[in-house]
Structures are given as structure tokens and as C-alpha cells.
Amino acid sequence: MAEPSNPHPSEDASDSALWLTADEKEAWTGLVSLVLLLPGRLESPLHQKTGLTLFEYLALSHISEAPERRLRMSDLAYLANGSLSRLSNVVKRFEQRGWVERSPDPDDGRYTVAALTDAGYDVVVAAAPTHVRSVRRYVLDPLPAADQQALIRIASKLRDRPGESAPHSTGA
């Protein structure tokens, strides 16, 4: 995506604004490399020790951290970075294992709430040390505190909820 050395003469001059500068290209390729590399590094030990995928662990973990261990499915899909249909399939398997129960949201019946059972809580508690070790090894330990804070700021700027538009400002 770096600017080609000989752009087509027929291209509109405004098209040149689409090409990345060298610094932008380095930022982008670094980010995409992490996005593709980290899930496998985080999932492999988790799956070997617990049989859970990273997505499954994140779903259980987010429910376990919610008040009363209950969370709307739509919120859980956002937090676990998955589609509602993918999450529904995973939660259906959790229900079959006795880890999660689903019910209509008592505040708004249009929503479904996933509630973690005691058995599900035991699963996430047993898996947490493996996950945390991987997070420390591959993400946190290589970064000094200032870089961790920068990562927090960057992630908050790049992540948006469905229906929200990403910020267009480059300011802090």
C-alpha cells in the first residue's frame, strides 16, 4: 500500500492521498502482523491445557466479570470480538456442557442474557492462569509501562462498537 513509484497517469490527483507514507506503512504492517500473530500465540497454550479456543475463553471470562455473572449476548459478542451468530453457536455448546444458561433479559425481552453457572465459572477460573501467562509473555512483559499506556490509548481509539463511527480526529 505504499505509494507506487510510477502511478498511472490516468489516476486522479486525489488518488495519491490514498497511498501510505513510509511511516504509515510501517505502522499498518506492524499492526496487521500483531493482529494475525497474537491470536495463535494466545490460543495455542490455552487450547492445549483446557481445550478452549481463545474466543471461548474470552466469552466465558467476560461473563464471569459481569455483575451477577450475567451479560447480554449482544454486549458479549462485542466484548469477545465475534459476531452474534458465532457467539450463539458457542453459547449453545456451553449450555450443553452446563456452563451457561440463556434467558430473556428481564429489563428488555428483546435481548437475551447469558448467565455463567458455577460449573462455567470453575472452567474459566481453571483456564485463567494459562491465559494470563500467555498475555504476560507475548503482550505485557515485552512492553515497559509507558508502552502499555500507549497501547491502551491506541486500542481505545481504534476500537468502536457497532453503530458507532470511528473517530476521524488525529488529536489526542
Side-chain angles (χ1 to χ4, degrees), residues 78-113:
Y78 168 74
L79 292 170
N81 292 307
S83 68
L84 198 49
S85 62
R86 178 182 183 195
L87 178 66
S88 290
N89 289 325
V90 166
V91 171
K92 181 178 180 179
R93 288 194 305 272
F94 290 168
E95 282 182 303
Q96 292 167 346
R97 295 175 186 159
W99 299 349
V100 170
E101 296 172 347
R102 282 190 280 192
S103 60
D105 185 335
D107 296 328
D108 187 339
R110 296 175 297 172
Y111 295 97
T112 300
V113 172

Side-chain angles (χ1 to χ4, degrees), residues 4 29-30 38 47 49 64 73-74 79 86 91 98 100 107 110 113 116 118 131 136 140 152 154-155 163 165:
T29 56
L38 280 177
H47 195 264
K49 291 218 177 204
S64 77
M73 291 284 288
S74 54
L79 292 170
R86 178 182 183 195
V91 171
V100 170
D107 296 328
R110 296 175 297 172
V113 172
L116 197 63
D118 290 341
H131 177 68
R136 288 195 176 286
L140 300 175
I152 291 168
I154 291 165
S165 61

Side-chain angles (χ1 to χ4, degrees), residues 5 9 14 17 25-26 36 52 59 64 84 89 95 99 104 150:
S5 55
S14 65
K25 184 176 186 297
E26 188 174 351
L36 296 173
L52 294 172
S64 77
L84 198 49
N89 289 325
E95 282 182 303
W99 299 349

